[in-house]
Amino acid sequence: MSKVMRFFQTGIPRFYRVVVVALFWVILLYFSFLSAVSTSFVNSLENTFFCQDSILLNLCAAAAVMLFCLFFKKWKVSRRFLDRLEQEEALFRHCRRVLLLVIFLLSVVWVLSTQYDALADQRNVQQAVYDFQAGNYQTFRPGNYMAAYQNQLGLFWLSYLFSLIFGSQNYVAFQIMNAVAVTLFYRELSQLGRYFGWRRGTQLSILLMGVLFYPLLMYCSFVYGNLLGLACSVLAIRLELQFFQTHQKRFAFFSAGAILLALLWKSNYLIFLVGMILYALVETFRQKKGKLLLLPVLVAAAFLVQSFLPVALARQATGQPFDQPMSSWSWIAMGLQRESPFAPGWYNGYNVHSFGESNGQTEIQTQLAKQDIQQSLRYFWQNKGEALQFFTLKTASEWNNPTFQSYWLTENHQSSAEESNWLWQFTSPWGEYYGTLFLNLFQFVILAGALLYCLLDWKKSGFTASLILAMIFVGGAAFHLVWEAKAQYTLSYFVLLFPYAAAGYSRFADCGLVLLGGGYGNGHWKNVGRRWRKNLVFLGALFAVMAVFIGICYSGGRVASLRADTGAYLEYVQLNSGSPALAQGDWALQIVTGAQLQVESTQNEDELVLSTAPDSEAGRFWVSNYGEKTRFYCSGWQSNLCFAAEEDEAGQPVFSLAAYDRSDQQVWRVTPGRDGSVVIAQNGNALTYDAQTGRVFLAPADGSENQQWYPVAIE
């Protein structure tokens, strides 16, 4: 073999391994730093709170998992079980089926308990399916939703095929399909361990992490292509690895088909496709077999098909030109802008506004977006301190939210079913707060486990193949550094760390057994000390460089911005949590002077007024609670208190009485006020009185005295 061929066969894979591991380690170390010092929370309005975290608690959580894995492998009973897993295929398959069944059932229970309707982009795509079937092509015309957001056409066509069986806007059926996708994703993620040369116990650990990490299960309610695309992407990767092991062409075709489906479900999975092509090229050089180039060729062909087929079908079916989509550069421009109501780099409507300013012309919007990108980069170059803060907060808001906005999805949806009490408790701000505490530790444990894997498996066979997920993770981190930010976008990459974490803790336990004199695996770790020394030279140097870099960048109190909202978030949780302050029963509501709230009938409508000589029936309210929702039933008028959508001459909502229904207009939130009073609010506005005029109206909740109502129980 010539030196040139030997370089390509060994040098390129080695270069690939060093570069990917270096970038992967740097990113993991930085994310671990963010996770250790702070946590990001998102409220119902999608505002991000940057809160303080405990470094010691996170380190203790990772240490506890390491010790648990060590003693689990040392304990004779569990050790015999692990040996049986390696020897008995039937036992392994049974355990895998049980864990996958648990994941599927948890997903289905969540879907059937919530039955959330689609919102925003989800609803727009599903509405387009219905309109298309009804022959209404308005949304496909230039400047309208489907014509502007052509990246949604793949999801549109797959949803259309889905609707031929289940009907359009059948959200529950779509969500059940998401549950199947989550189960398939974890099955394929676990299967990858086999091609990486990992033990079966490690493969089962990946599924166990899937059971514990419930945010991905909550995303089954998301009527979008995220989960289906993720499942198809990991399936494509598994089939790719199978092709390179067996050299059977059918796996290359299946892999290309799977990644094509993933791109149709969600175009962002292009990052997975790029990772697949890069790995395929490296593996082709390593094996020195030209026929293996079949896979990257097929995968590239899948990308070309995805880029033109949905648009071509839409042109043919609707007769619309589809030649002026919204420019993808506008999302990059938006991702680099400091002005956002949510967090740095988050949505601020720039893509929509710039598209309007460009009169719906793609080329004009592209030029405008590029100019704004240059302006942002120029500003960051001239103000490096602000640039550091911008990208720090943007990265933390995306990657350091351990719920990945899964709770936010539950706070703004309508449902066809009234939620159960456990669901209300689970999704309430208090439930989210305690859930985030658990997920915060879980996130740090996963990051620490992935770091361990890189440290301990550097020279093992199968390590190069396993880096395909790390390369995709690196690509996702780089892409979302400049793209429009959302925590939900990074979820697809975080779950790729589960195999590394499972393998990392397993390797640590094996090494620990060697040090304790209880070698595991028939002497496989005999040379672990020599291997560790080589790894530590490279990765230890990276750690030292990163530690110095982080220390310099965040010295002088610069880390404070990552903890600035701690008090504000705790106040938000306190104000928006807990059971209603009024127990079920008959109540009269008085103000501090003793005047009582009652319903007064006029010629035009029923009104809420204050009365010093109240009618006993007009001022009697039956309070009923369900979760945090409270309804006020006026006994004298046999109707529920509600407010209408229209406003009066003063711009205030109009109160009325109506028969019971499930509308939000009849639902109130009752929280404790001062000195035994209560505050009765809805959508941020509280029931407010004017003591001089006796008028009662809604005003922004501010805790003022004229929003304090003193309940008096009526026997």
Side-chain angles (χ1 to χ4, degrees), residues 169 203 215 297 349 379 451 469 645 653-654 678:
Q169 298 178 324
Q203 297 175 43
V297 170
Y379 179 85
L451 287 169
L469 299 181
V654 177
V678 296

Side-chain angles (χ1 to χ4, degrees), residues 226-295:
N226 301 52
L227 295 180
L228 292 155
L230 180 61
C232 291
S233 296
V234 178
L235 172 62
I237 292 171
R238 196 265 294 171
L239 291 168
E240 178 181 24
L241 295 174
Q242 196 166 0
F243 168 71
F244 283 116
Q245 283 195 6
T246 64
H247 298 172
Q248 297 182 27
K249 294 181 180 179
R250 69 176 187 273
F251 294 120
F253 283 95
F254 292 155
S255 178
I259 196 62
L260 171 61
L261 273 177
L263 291 174
L264 291 174
W265 283 118
K266 184 79 172 164
S267 59
N268 284 12
Y269 289 107
L270 177 62
I271 296 174
F272 284 69
L273 179 144
V274 173
M276 290 175 62
I277 291 179
L278 290 176
Y279 172 74
L281 294 175
V282 170
E283 192 65 19
T284 299
F285 281 120
R286 191 185 70 81
Q287 295 191 28
K288 204 178 67 171
K289 295 182 183 296
K291 64 181 181 181
L292 298 182
L293 288 173
L294 173 66
L295 189 137

Side-chain angles (χ1 to χ4, degrees), residues 311-546:
V311 176
L313 289 175
R315 286 196 185 109
Q316 182 67 28
T318 66
Q320 300 301 318
F322 284 93
D323 57 352
Q324 297 297 332
M326 200 174 288
S327 173
S328 58
W329 287 96
S330 63
W331 274 273
I332 298 176
M334 182 162 50
L336 294 174
Q337 291 176 353
R338 293 163 292 135
E339 302 82 7
S340 171
F342 308 118
W346 282 54
Y347 183 82
N348 61 9
Y350 173 85
N351 55 343
V352 176
H353 299 320
S354 61
F355 194 60
E357 291 176 8
S358 306
N359 295 319
Q361 301 297 307
T362 305
E363 291 186 6
I364 297 177
Q365 188 190 25
T366 298
Q367 294 302 318
L368 180 62
K370 288 182 177 180
Q371 292 174 8
D372 290 334
I373 290 171
Q374 292 175 358
Q375 182 178 349
S376 295
L377 294 177
R378 191 180 303 113
Y379 179 85
F380 289 143
W381 179 255
Q382 296 171 352
N383 301 271
K384 296 180 178 59
E386 289 192 38
L388 174 64
Q389 184 179 35
F390 173 86
F391 287 108
T392 297
L393 295 180
K394 180 181 180 181
T395 302
S397 66
E398 292 179 290
W399 295 93
N400 201 29
N401 178 347
T403 72
F404 295 92
Q405 286 189 269
S406 56
Y407 281 93
W408 172 77
L409 294 175
T410 70
E411 294 172 334
N412 298 283
H413 279 76
Q414 297 292 323
S415 174
S416 56
E418 194 70 49
E419 65 182 11
S420 60
N421 189 60
W422 77 264
L423 182 62
W424 166 66
Q425 295 282 357
F426 180 74
T427 59
S428 68
W430 270 114
E432 179 181 1
Y433 174 73
Y434 287 113
T436 304
L437 294 181
F438 162 73
L439 292 172
N440 177 52
L441 297 177
F442 182 90
Q443 182 183 46
F444 187 83
V445 165
I446 295 298
L447 292 169
L451 287 169
L452 280 174
Y453 174 73
C454 290
L455 175 65
L456 301 177
D457 261 31
W458 173 257
K459 294 294 184 180
K460 278 183 62 64
S461 61
F463 182 77
T464 301
S466 72
L467 289 180
I468 185 171
L469 299 181
M471 179 171 50
I472 293 170
F473 184 87
V474 170
F479 176 76
H480 289 287
L481 189 65
V482 297
W483 194 259
E484 176 221 355
K486 269 186 186 291
Q488 60 178 271
Y489 295 161
T490 61
L491 175 64
S492 301
Y493 305 99
F494 176 73
V495 292
L496 299 183
L497 298 180
F498 290 2
Y500 298 132
Y505 288 112
S506 177
R507 298 290 188 263
F508 171 83
D510 292 341
C511 295
L513 288 175
V514 172
L515 297 177
L516 293 174
Y520 184 74
N522 298 322
H524 184 76
W525 292 90
K526 182 174 61 176
N527 297 321
V528 67
R530 184 167 60 251
R531 189 177 300 124
W532 266 24
R533 286 193 296 271
K534 292 182 179 180
N535 295 346
L536 287 173
V537 171
F538 175 69
L539 297 179
L542 275 179
F543 179 83
V545 171
M546 278 296 296

Side-chain angles (χ1 to χ4, degrees), residues 15-51:
F15 176 78
Y16 163 82
R17 187 167 58 244
V18 170
V19 171
V20 173
V21 169
L23 293 175
F24 190 47
W25 243 68
V26 167
I27 293 171
L28 286 179
L29 283 170
Y30 183 63
F31 287 175
S32 298
F33 161 73
L34 293 178
S35 180
V37 302
S38 72
T39 303
S40 298
F41 296 82
V42 175
N43 67 4
S44 59
L45 299 177
E46 209 173 3
N47 297 314
T48 298
F49 294 86
F50 300 99
C51 302

